[in-house]
Amino acid sequence: MTCCAGPRRLAHPVLRSVPAPAARALGPAALAALAILGALGGCASPASPPPAASPAGLADLIARPAEGALFDGMRAYDDGQYASAEGHLRRALAAGLRNPHDLATAHKLLAFITCASDRLAECEQQFRAAREADPAFVLSRSEAGHPLWGPVYRRVVAQ
C-alpha cells in the first residue's frame, strides 16, 4: 500500500534523532519498536518552516550600542554615579534606542538626575519625553512621591 508519491521516509522524530552508532547499539526489539513508531507516523510531511528565531538574550542586547549604553547608565545610576549615568543615558538615546519601555526608562532616569541637580525645566522635558515614548509610562508610588521630582512629574501628568 502506497500513501505518498515518491519514496517513503519515516517521519517520526524519534527515528530521525537516533544517530547511526546508537541505532547499531540498539537491540532488535528496540529497532522494531522504533520502526513501528515510524510506520505509525505515515508519510513524511512536507518540510515545515524553520522555527522562529529565539528572542535575543541579555548578552546580545547589551552588545548593541544603544542598549549597552542604557545598561551602563542604569548601572551607574544605581551606583550613585550620576554624572556617568547621565552621559551613558544620553549616548543611549543618541545611539537610537527603539523599545518604548527602554526609551521611557532612559528619559525617566535623566529626569531624576536633572531634577536632583536643580535643572527643573529639563527634568520636566525628560518626563514629557518618557510619556511620549511610552504612553503607559508611570512612576511608582514612591517615585511619584519624591520631594524633588514628584511635583514636576505630577505637573506633567496633569497637563
Side-chain angles (χ1 to χ4, degrees), residues 24 42 62 81 103 107 127 129 155 157 159:
R24 285 192 293 273
I62 62 173
Q81 303 297 319
L103 283 164
H107 287 295
F127 278 132
R155 186 169 53 246
V157 171
Q159 294 176 351

Side-chain angles (χ1 to χ4, degrees), residues 37-110:
L37 285 173
L40 291 175
C43 297
S45 58
S48 59
S54 62
L58 179 60
D60 296 327
L61 289 175
I62 62 173
R64 299 177 188 169
E67 287 79 1
L70 174 63
F71 179 80
D72 291 340
M74 292 169 66
R75 188 173 54 196
Y77 183 88
D78 287 343
D79 290 343
Q81 303 297 319
Y82 302 118
S84 176
E86 183 174 357
H88 287 299
L89 295 167
R90 291 190 189 284
R91 276 192 292 287
L93 293 170
L97 278 176
R98 292 185 307 243
N99 180 282
H101 181 73
D102 290 348
L103 283 164
T105 298
H107 287 295
K108 174 183 94 166
L109 293 177
L110 284 169

